[in-house]
Amino acid sequence: MAEKQENKNGNCNGNETEKKIDIEAEKKEQERRAKGEVEKGVANVEIVEEMEQAYIDYAMSVIVQRALPSVEDGLKPVHRRILYAMHSIGLDASKPTRKSAAVVGEVLGKYHPHGDIAVYDSLVRMAQDFSLRYPLVHGQGNFGSLDGDSPAAQRYTEVKLSKISQELIEDIDKETVKMRPNFDNSTKEPETLPAKLPNLLINGATGIAVGMATNIPPHNLTEVCDAIIECINKPEITIDELAEVVKGPDFPTGGQIFGDGIKDMYKSGKGKIVIRGKTTVEERKGRPIIIINEIPYMVNKSDLVTSIARLATEKKLPDVYDLRDESSKGKVRIVVELKKEVDSKFTLNKLYTSTNLETSFDANLLALVGNKPVVLNLKQIIEEYIKYRRLIVRNRSKFELKKAEERLEIVLGLLIAQKNIDKVVEFIKKSANATDAHDGLMKKFSLTDKQARAVLEIRLQQLTRLEEGKLRDEEKKLKEGISDLKKILGDEKEILKVIKREVQEFKTKYGDERRTRILRRVEEITEKDLIEKKDVVIMITNSGYVKRVDVKAYKEQKRGGAGTSGAELKEEDFVNKMLTCSTHDFLLFFTTRGRVYWLKANDIPSAERQGKGKAIVNLLSLRDEAIANVKAVKNFDVGYLMFATKLGMVKKLPLKDLSKPRNTGVRVINLPADNSDILINVSHVIDKQEVMLVTKKGQAVRFNSDEVRPMGRVSYGVKGAELGKTDEVVALESLPMNGKTTILTVAEKGFGKRSDLEEYRKTSRGAKGVISLDVSERTGNVISSLCVNDRDSVIITTTKGMVLRTSMRDLRVMGRATQGVHVVKLKEGDKVADIVKVPKEPEVQVNLSILG
């Protein structure tokens, strides 16, 4: 009754699971009818219960009959039906190909009555060598490409089974697997294929069911075969030991894989595997060239090239000079040509992070075990394969034993007839009819029914002495074969030996080298890996513009030079803060109101020397405050920050307290609410290090930083210098621990000088200090001070945007209480804005020419 209902509804699956569901539904219907719950064709049932049952039925149908592969043969129903249909119509590897349309029609008409597009798409994928590690179908014609090109229509392409797919179907005619009725009961189809090949592991599977999904990566056949043999030899083998044999997935497109997800996948059935394309770097005419030879699995090559081109156009890959796709005949070759004298590793890292040159494969080893979805680990998949193959070998052996015994019975009968040939012929001649001859042969010569029938059907030429020898040989072989088959059926160890032998045979026949390289450990790409490390100058103007310029843009000049243009500034704007740092540094922006903001040095917009830069309010969330100081930090774990205010207050704060950036900034010093005091400078110090405060009237206070105890972020600090009525602090400098240095002091009218540190006597915190520069109307007020030596060079900026880089070798050491000499030649109305020390570049020759 259930079968009738199934046919009426056009049920396309026809499997036992759905039949059971239909039978259960029929029983419930009968029960409801018996209780009177169904009247005049109307079912009086709960809608929630009915919807739940209907959804469960639908979900089970999708899970079992569409989306998930069986652990036994690693195939979904549509793939299994395609392979079986091709075998049924004789499209074996040794035969010529036939139109794909003929195969699709055979599958639709007998086994899989769904859309022809679904069947053809599945057929195409089994023929693509970039989709399956070991293609199961040999295709002739256009079956698509890595660029995402669609295959030709099914009327144009031709197919047949590949050689390796024979290993999946072999022995199917020996009653090895269960056969079930197809959707209309007109023929039968296999529930699973005999699958001598461990297809689930070597080709993988991908599918989305209802509430679950599978994503199994392909593996190398040689490694999987070795693992099967190891598992047979050592049933108690651990997953870790198996993972040493099966090193990892082996994708058809090659590439490189790494990550802890490989072992996680083998142990738990789930894991994340990172895949990278294979690249090489060459150099041609001074230009680095990145060549992509392999791309990650399932990545569209055309989309990858397009994404690289888009990033180059958007200046997110600024070093790319040219891009070409030189791929041909199935070989990938994408050429990314870079600009001269750039480091290719930063572009390569950006390609990994910004494009599909690096992807992740989220593995989920989910398959049907006895028509139930189960997440399996590596050992369980191999054990299920061995368990299934034991059943197949046993069924095959039973079939072959039965056939051998039947044939032996006939051969023995023919030998009896051969021995009594004259009597047999005479008896047959005298028999009234075939029935008398049959019965008479059985009685007279003690033959069985099959033997008597065989004697009657045999041709006389087969009773010659030559044929007798052949029969004797066949008898011997049959008896040996029967003995071997009984031995196999009588001992499970013999079955395992057969499995091992067969695995070894197709390993030798189809095994190959790995295509995907496994990198045991690769450092994760950090943000620093995407940024070329180089020294830069950060400049901030009085009106709030900031920019980043390569230090090399400023060439050294002789002392007293006029400098070179550093920025195209608006009228009445001037540079008032400047520092040198690395593009890998963190920048701490300290405001006049005692707050700090974080920014990465590389996030400061890069600009030419003459460029204006970008408004800092677009980068930082400032609150009606100006930038007092900028500090570059490489490591937040070492030392303290020393703060100095305009009124001579100092404060020491552990640097680690500022290690957690906040977009809104944090308060680092509690300044008076009436704005009578502001933050002037910040310096990095360590324990027992000395510091120096310099005032605009030329006083310098040198004391030990340990005199200032570490404080919290909300404190104001303690007194650092005794100031005159019109004086204020302009600089705070950390002094070298060995004390061997000179102090460079520069005044606003371009005068400056160097004096030995020893001339600055050490005082206590809060003292008036000593003269650092003899301030007069000729020199103007002191702008800043730095610790320098002969190897250093400094960059001096002016309020009108001029920049001078000069070596300290050109500035002699002189007395502490002098006015100094002209360090920079200023134009009328211009003043010195700031000075900063340039990081040392060992083994670089000094070029005294002016840039531009």
Side-chain angles (χ1 to χ4, degrees):
M1 186 173 184
E3 290 178 0
K4 290 180 181 179
Q5 183 68 23
E6 177 183 331
N7 291 334
K8 181 179 179 181
N9 295 334
N11 191 326
C12 62
N13 296 318
N15 58 62
E16 294 180 4
T17 303
E18 290 191 339
K19 286 181 181 178
K20 290 178 182 177
I21 293 172
D22 290 340
I23 292 171
E24 290 296 324
E26 186 70 23
K27 287 181 179 179
K28 289 182 180 179
E29 181 80 7
Q30 291 175 354
E31 290 173 1
R32 288 198 295 267
R33 288 182 183 277
K35 292 178 181 178
E37 294 178 354
V38 179
E39 297 178 0
K40 297 180 180 180
V42 178
N44 193 14
V45 296
E46 287 288 337
I47 185 66
V48 174
E49 180 183 341
E50 192 68 22
M51 289 294 291
E52 284 179 352
Q53 186 59 46
Y55 190 76
I56 289 172
D57 295 347
Y58 162 74
M60 286 303 298
S61 174
V62 172
I63 290 169
V64 175
Q65 284 297 316
R66 285 197 184 180
L68 300 185
S70 295
V71 72
E72 292 87 356
D73 57 10
L75 297 170
K76 299 179 188 178
V78 64
H79 300 123
R80 186 180 302 115
R81 287 165 175 165
I82 290 171
L83 295 179
Y84 182 68
M86 293 175 73
H87 170 74
S88 300
I89 60 177
L91 282 181
D92 296 333
S94 59
K95 305 294 176 57
T97 56
R98 284 183 62 184
K99 289 289 185 182
S100 299
V103 175
V104 173
E106 181 75 10
V107 174
L108 293 179
K110 291 184 178 179
Y111 310 109
H112 198 76
H114 294 279
D116 63 324
I117 295 177
V119 175
Y120 185 55
D121 285 348
S122 299
L123 178 65
V124 164
R125 190 174 186 277
M126 287 196 290
Q128 292 174 336
D129 58 3
F130 53 86
S131 293
L132 264 65
R133 181 63 177 83
Y134 301 92
L136 301 177
V137 171
H138 172 76
Q140 186 171 312
N142 174 18
F143 282 85
S145 70
L146 272 173
D147 288 321
D149 299 322
S150 299
Q154 53 186 281
R155 61 183 178 273
Y156 298 120
T157 60
E158 296 184 356
V159 292
K160 65 177 179 178
L161 291 173
S162 65
K163 290 182 180 179
I164 201 169
S165 62
Q166 299 288 136
E167 307 293 341
L168 284 173
I169 302 176
E170 189 176 330
D171 299 329
I172 197 170
D173 300 324
K174 295 183 179 181
E175 299 178 359
T176 51
V177 296
K178 290 182 180 179
M179 303 294 287
R180 65 186 177 196
N182 68 338
F183 63 93
D184 62 357
N185 288 323
S186 62
T187 185
K188 289 188 176 183
E189 62 174 318
E191 288 187 356
T192 55
L193 298 182
K196 186 188 292 184
L197 203 68
N199 187 58
L200 185 66
L201 276 177
I202 66 169
N203 273 327
T206 301
I208 300 174
V210 178
M212 61 187 70
T214 185
N215 204 22
I216 303 173
H219 288 77
N220 182 266
L221 176 63
T222 302
E223 293 179 2
V224 173
C225 291
D226 290 339
I228 293 169
I229 293 171
E230 283 293 317
C231 205
I232 293 174
N233 292 337
K234 186 181 176 183
E236 68 279 3
I237 191 171
T238 65
I239 295 176
D240 287 330
E241 290 172 331
L242 279 175
E244 291 298 319
V245 181
V246 183
K247 298 177 175 61
D250 189 22
F251 296 102
T253 53
Q256 305 172 109
I257 61 174
F258 58 93
D260 296 331
I262 296 175
K263 284 196 174 181
D264 292 339
M265 174 185 70
Y266 289 154
K267 287 183 178 180
S268 66
K270 296 183 179 182
K272 182 178 180 179
I273 301 166
V274 179
I275 316 173
R276 280 183 181 176
K278 182 183 175 183
T279 61
T280 57
V281 179
E282 300 176 358
E283 189 168 326
R284 191 180 303 161
K285 295 181 181 180
R287 295 186 190 276
I289 299 176
I290 299 172
I291 299 175
I292 303 171
N293 302 112
E294 296 173 0
I295 62 176
Y297 183 53
M298 300 302 291
V299 167
N300 185 307
K301 178 168 64 67
S302 179
D303 290 347
L304 175 61
V305 174
T306 302
S307 66
I308 297 174
R310 184 181 67 252
L311 291 172
T313 303
E314 295 172 354
K315 305 300 182 183
K316 293 179 181 178
L317 290 174
D319 293 337
V320 173
Y321 174 77
D322 192 17
L323 174 65
R324 300 185 299 276
D325 185 1
E326 299 179 354
S327 306
S328 65
K329 297 182 179 179
K331 291 186 178 180
V332 175
R333 182 180 169 86
I334 302 171
V335 178
V336 184
E337 193 170 343
L338 306 182
K339 296 176 182 177
K340 289 184 177 181
E341 298 180 358
V342 300
D343 195 336
S344 60
K345 71 178 182 181
F346 300 106
T347 299
L348 190 55
N349 287 337
K350 286 181 180 178
L351 289 175
Y352 287 141
T353 56
S354 304
T355 71
N356 279 340
L357 190 59
E358 177 178 303
T359 61
S360 60
F361 188 98
D362 295 311
N364 187 26
L365 309 187
L366 178 69
L368 294 175
V369 181
N371 277 342
K372 293 181 180 179
V374 180
V375 176
L376 304 162
N377 60 39
L378 176 62
K379 186 177 180 181
Q380 288 172 331
I381 291 178
I382 293 175
E383 286 177 338
E384 287 293 334
Y385 166 81
I386 295 171
K387 176 183 175 183
Y388 182 63
R389 284 303 298 170
R390 285 165 62 183
L391 174 65
I392 296 299
V393 171
R394 189 180 296 110
N395 289 346
R396 182 184 67 193
S397 299
K398 288 179 180 177
F399 177 84
E400 290 177 346
L401 177 62
K402 179 183 175 183
K403 291 295 183 182
E405 289 177 338
E406 289 176 352
R407 178 58 183 169
L408 179 61
E409 180 183 357
I410 292 172
V411 169
L412 291 175
L414 293 177
L415 286 172
I416 292 172
Q418 180 73 33
K419 186 178 180 180
N420 302 282
I421 182 64
D422 294 333
K423 294 180 180 179
V424 168
V425 172
E426 185 67 26
F427 180 79
I428 293 173
K429 285 171 62 179
K430 292 180 179 180
S431 298
N433 50 49
T435 303
D436 290 344
H438 177 274
D439 295 340
L441 287 173
M442 289 177 63
K443 293 177 182 179
K444 188 175 179 82
F445 298 100
S446 301
L447 299 178
T448 64
D449 176 65
K450 292 181 179 178
Q451 289 174 332
R453 191 177 299 111
V455 170
L456 288 172
E457 293 174 355
I458 197 171
R459 297 167 66 183
L460 289 177
Q461 70 178 28
Q462 291 180 264
L463 297 178
T464 64
R465 292 196 176 276
L466 179 62
E467 292 297 326
E468 181 183 5
K470 290 182 179 180
L471 290 172
R472 292 292 180 189
D473 291 340
E474 186 178 358
E475 177 193 12
K476 182 180 178 182
K477 290 179 180 178
L478 287 171
K479 286 181 177 179
E480 290 175 354
I482 290 170
S483 176
D484 291 341
L485 290 170
K486 287 182 176 179
K487 185 179 179 182
I488 291 171
L489 291 171
D491 190 351
E492 285 293 319
K493 292 182 179 179
E494 293 298 321
I495 293 179
L496 293 175
K497 285 182 181 179
V498 173
I499 296 173
K500 282 170 58 178
R501 185 182 68 250
E502 291 177 348
V503 167
Q504 189 64 49
E505 286 174 356
F506 65 70
K507 171 193 167 183
T508 304
K509 194 173 181 181
Y510 304 107
D512 57 2
E513 296 293 326
R514 288 190 64 88
R515 296 182 187 175
T516 301
R517 182 184 173 198
I518 298 175
L519 306 179
R520 287 300 177 188
R521 189 170 183 176
V522 171
E523 294 296 330
E524 189 174 336
I525 296 177
T526 63
E527 191 168 359
K528 288 184 178 180
D529 297 323
L530 305 176
I531 302 168
E532 183 178 2
K533 187 176 182 179
K534 58 184 178 181
D535 294 325
V536 293
V537 177
I538 306 296
M539 301 175 68
I540 304 175
T541 70
N542 187 60
S543 61
Y545 283 85
V546 62
K547 70 174 181 176
R548 167 170 57 92
V549 182
D550 194 333
V551 165
K552 294 179 181 178
Y554 303 109
K555 303 297 183 181
E556 287 185 355
Q557 299 181 35
K558 291 288 188 179
R559 175 184 65 82
T564 185
S565 177
E568 291 288 340
L569 302 178
K570 297 187 299 182
E571 265 190 62
E572 300 179 357
D573 194 12
F574 58 90
V575 176
N576 64 358
K577 296 297 171 190
M578 182 174 65
L579 82 155
T580 57
C581 63
S582 165
T583 49
H584 284 190
D585 291 349
F586 255 106
L587 297 182
L588 301 181
F589 290 80
F590 298 92
T591 70
T592 53
R593 297 307 308 146
R595 296 182 69 81
V596 63
Y597 295 85
W598 288 260
L599 202 62
K600 292 164 186 171
N602 198 65
D603 290 340
I604 302 291
S606 178
E608 301 296 328
R609 284 188 301 107
Q610 298 85 357
K612 182 173 64 174
K614 189 173 184 178
I616 201 166
V617 293
N618 294 328
L619 303 174
L620 302 175
S621 304
L622 298 177
R623 305 177 179 181
D624 297 326
E625 50 196 341
I627 300 298
N629 193 257
V630 185
K631 204 70 186 170
V633 178
K634 290 180 172 62
N635 186 355
F636 284 92
D637 297 330
V638 180
Y640 306 86
L641 288 180
M642 181 77 81
F643 300 91
T645 72
K646 180 177 71 172
L647 298 183
M649 300 296 287
V650 292
K651 171 185 174 178
K652 191 163 71 172
L653 177 71
L655 183 57
K656 64 182 180 181
D657 290 357
L658 302 181
S659 61
K660 296 180 180 178
R662 297 184 194 173
N663 291 334
T664 56
V666 296
R667 186 171 297 281
V668 289
I669 184 170
N670 192 16
L671 296 170
D674 60 1
N675 294 338
S676 59
D677 196 8
I678 61 173
L679 183 64
I680 291 296
N681 212 337
V682 183
S683 186
H684 181 262
V685 296
I686 59 175
D687 291 332
K688 300 180 181 180
Q689 186 172 9
E690 293 181 356
V691 294
M692 181 182 289
L693 291 174
V694 180
T695 73
K696 75 176 183 179
K697 295 302 181 182
Q699 294 296 114
V701 183
R702 176 185 176 187
F703 62 92
N704 194 310
S705 65
D706 287 355
E707 293 185 38
V708 182
R709 63 178 177 81
M711 306 176 191
R713 288 192 292 107
V714 294
S715 62
Y716 182 26
V718 295
K719 190 173 184 179
E722 182 70 37
L723 301 177
K725 288 185 179 180
T726 60
D727 205 0
E728 58 188 47
V729 173
V730 293
L732 168 66
E733 185 71 3
S734 303
L735 304 178
M737 296 292 286
N738 58 18
K740 294 179 180 180
T741 189
T742 60
I743 303 299
L744 169 66
T745 305
V746 178
E748 61 184 355
K749 292 188 177 180
F751 282 83
K753 70 176 186 64
R754 288 171 64 199
S755 302
D756 285 325
L757 178 61
E758 285 77 7
E759 292 195 27
Y760 297 82
R761 64 181 173 82
K762 185 178 177 182
T763 64
S764 61
R765 175 182 61 80
K768 188 174 182 180
V770 298
I771 296 175
S772 176
L773 185 141
D774 185 10
V775 174
S776 66
E777 186 176 346
R778 177 169 172 261
T779 63
N781 291 327
V782 172
I783 293 299
S784 187
S785 287
L786 293 174
C787 290
V788 294
N789 56 44
D790 289 341
R791 289 183 57 198
D792 290 328
S793 64
V794 299
I795 293 177
I796 303 172
T797 58
T798 73
T799 56
K800 290 191 174 181
M802 298 304 292
V803 179
L804 169 73
R805 177 177 175 179
T806 186
S807 172
M808 290 298 95
R809 285 191 299 268
D810 296 334
L811 188 62
R812 64 181 177 85
V813 177
M814 58 185 71
R816 176 173 52 80
T818 59
Q819 291 187 347
V821 295
H822 269 108
V823 180
V824 59
K825 184 178 179 180
L826 299 174
K827 296 178 181 179
E828 186 178 352
D830 202 2
K831 293 181 181 181
V832 173
D834 199 5
I835 60 173
V836 65
K837 187 161 59 176
V838 178
K840 294 182 179 65
E841 297 180 25
E843 299 180 4
V844 175
Q845 293 183 350
V846 177
N847 187 346
L848 300 180
S849 63
I850 300 175
L851 180 66

